[in-house]
Amino acid sequence: MKKPLTSANVLDSLRIVKDPDLHRDIVSLNFIKDLTIRGTAVSLSIELTTPACPVRDELKAQAVQAVRDQIEGVGEISVTMTSNVRASAPSQHVNLLPGVKNTIAVASGKGGVGKSTVAVNLAVALALDGATVGLIDADIYGPSIPLMMGINERPQLAGQKLIPLTAHGVRVMSIGFLVDASQAVIWRGPMVSGALKQFMSDVEWGKLDYLLFDLPPGTGDIHLTLVQSIPLSGAVVVTTPQDISLADARKAHAMFVKVNVPVLGLIENMSYYVCPQCGRREDIFATGGGQKAAAQLGSPYLGGIPIYTPIRVGGDTGRPIVVSEPDAEQSRMIRTIARTMAAQLSIQYMSGGLKPPTIEI
Ligand SMILES: Nc1ncnc2c1ncn2[C@@H]1O[C@H](COP(=O)(O)OP(=O)(O)O)[C@@H](O)[C@H]1O
Ligand SMILES: [Mg+2]
């Protein structure tokens, strides 16, 4: 039996539509906005927690279907998808990063696993989905973000603050913009933390949905101090599938657990290689390790990225693969990982699981 066309009934009909990540219906999640009925036409908005929603189109289709199936004599149904990224821990961010809603560390135990490549592509992927995104190159000893984002300028000062440089829709700050890389390598721990704090307090970030940090590889004292000096909403750990990298990824995971930063998930980079000539797949660094490690650690597995020459070329030429080859399968994989990561942040937020570390400045 269909129900008459009233706002209350339309709202009620939408209760069968569930957000698969948040495991709740879109009505109780308070996602339905601007519900109006004109004659037989129904229009409403669904306000998601991120523009980078992995199931945006499915939710829209399900909402239309739900109303069509349950409401009597309904004509046109128009559903607009919007988003309002929630701030994960506003009170913690107030002093240091007032306009920044979420901060995410991209970490790895081991160097050379593609952490910077992943950080750059995730940042650009979120921006392509319509989010406002910043990227801090916190890898003071090996800043590669300027090259990977194709930025050669120096940031300008506005009053007391540095203006981040923008590339591919992402606001970027790197020590590489300011000092010669050979100078930074002799810095000691406290200087590294000091520089990072300045990247937060002395840079005009404006309003950001997501600020990503490309952390230096490792899990030693410097890293512990670093992660404690950033008010982090969450962290992702990048690994290759081989044992030696996974062992270090586990250490990175343990470090975040220790400082009470939610691990949003593991990303397996260099998962496999497909020969462009013959199409044969080669598991250069073994396979499935990232997924197994994630399961053991009780963290989500966000996905794998294969070895693909244009990903390396994109890094060297400052045009990340998600913009240089937007339709490539590898770009789609990265964009799905970015959306899954954003969804994990929303889950953390909704479940009240976000407890950023206490910041000592
Ligand atoms: N999936 C991939 N396919 C091809 N090359 C990659 C991939 N991921 C990273 N690379 C390349 O591997 C090298 C190391 O990556 P990088 O992001 O600098 O690692 P890290 O930041 O962990 O030290 C770079 O030359 C990069 O372009
Ligand atoms: Mg790097």
Side-chain angles (χ1 to χ4, degrees):
M1 257 290 278
K2 289 192 179 185
K3 293 181 189 157
L5 178 54
T6 65
S7 300
N9 286 343
V10 169
L11 204 58
D12 214 36
S13 73
L14 292 166
R15 287 185 193 278
I16 62 162
V17 182
K18 293 216 160 40
D19 183 308
D21 294 313
L22 303 176
H23 303 292
R24 270 168 61 191
D25 72 87
I26 58 174
V27 179
S28 74
L29 283 166
N30 224 358
F31 282 2
I32 311 298
K33 311 279 172 191
D34 312 322
L35 172 59
T36 50
I37 298 174
R38 275 200 195 88
T40 61
V42 173
S43 76
L44 58 98
S45 305
I46 300 180
E47 187 188 78
L48 302 169
T49 52
T50 171
C53 175
V55 289
R56 198 184 165 94
D57 298 339
E58 285 98 303
L59 285 180
K60 180 174 178 171
Q62 285 174 21
V64 171
Q65 199 61 44
V67 178
R68 173 93 47 229
D69 288 350
Q70 297 173 65
I71 304 297
E72 188 76 64
V74 63
E76 193 192 332
I77 304 168
S78 119
V79 175
T80 311
M81 303 304 281
T82 62
S83 65
N84 175 14
V85 177
R86 312 299 204 271
S88 58
S91 60
Q92 298 276 357
H93 290 221
V94 161
N95 298 329
L96 215 48
L97 294 163
V100 178
K101 290 182 174 175
N102 296 286
T103 48
I104 306 168
V106 182
S108 71
K110 210 170 113 61
V113 299
K115 182 173 44 60
S116 302
T117 305
V118 170
V120 159
N121 278 287
L122 289 180
V124 178
L126 290 170
L128 287 172
D129 274 336
T132 343
V133 186
L135 175 61
I136 289 186
D137 187 354
D139 193 347
I140 305 280
Y141 298 118
S144 43
I145 302 297
L147 177 73
M148 289 184 173
M149 289 295 269
I151 304 175
N152 303 312
E153 305 141 68
R154 280 177 182 271
Q156 302 292 311
L157 262 179
Q160 298 294 309
K161 293 212 170 189
L162 280 171
I163 307 296
L165 292 165
T166 299
H168 309 297
V170 174
R171 296 173 208 167
V172 185
M173 185 48 66
S174 170
I175 194 74
F177 297 153
L178 306 172
V179 301
D180 188 46
S182 60
Q183 276 175 4
V185 289
I186 55 162
W187 285 15
R188 286 173 297 111
M191 291 170 78
V192 175
S193 301
L196 189 63
K197 276 174 197 161
Q198 287 192 344
F199 281 176
M200 292 187 273
S201 57
D202 299 351
V203 174
E204 190 58 61
W205 287 108
K207 288 198 188 322
L208 293 179
D209 293 325
Y210 304 102
L211 177 58
L212 273 63
F213 290 79
D214 180 20
L215 293 186
T219 52
D221 283 348
I222 293 180
H223 304 88
L224 200 59
T225 311
L226 267 190
V227 295
Q228 281 178 306
S229 59
I230 313 169
L232 285 174
S233 314
V236 294
V237 176
V238 181
T239 181
T240 62
Q242 89 225 71
D243 290 341
I244 185 159
S245 169
L246 285 165
D248 287 344
R250 287 193 187 91
K251 281 190 209 159
H253 186 279
M255 175 175 77
F256 289 114
V257 171
K258 190 171 169 182
V259 296
N260 219 359
V261 173
V263 177
L264 304 173
L266 260 67
I267 299 171
E268 186 181 275
N269 187 31
M270 310 192 184
S271 278
Y272 55 87
Y273 176 74
V274 177
C275 170
Q277 261 82 44
C278 67
R280 199 175 81 88
R281 172 176 161 147
E282 173 82 30
D283 293 327
I284 296 180
F285 295 122
T287 187
Q291 199 157 8
K292 233 181 288 166
Q296 283 165 5
L297 295 167
S299 275
Y301 177 65
L302 300 180
I305 304 167
I307 295 179
Y308 181 53
T309 307
I311 293 182
R312 198 269 306 152
V313 173
D316 289 349
T317 56
R319 281 180 54 77
I321 175 110
V322 291
V323 287
S324 65
E325 289 192 12
D327 298 324
E329 193 194 347
Q330 292 79 0
S331 293
R332 280 206 293 274
M333 289 173 174
I334 293 169
R335 294 194 63 179
T336 302
I337 292 172
R339 290 172 188 156
T340 313
M341 178 181 81
Q344 284 303 323
L345 208 51
S346 302
I347 293 170
Q348 291 286 339
Y349 172 83
M350 288 293 176
S351 65
L354 278 176
K355 293 185 198 77
T358 321
I359 309 151
E360 296 152 28
I361 305 287

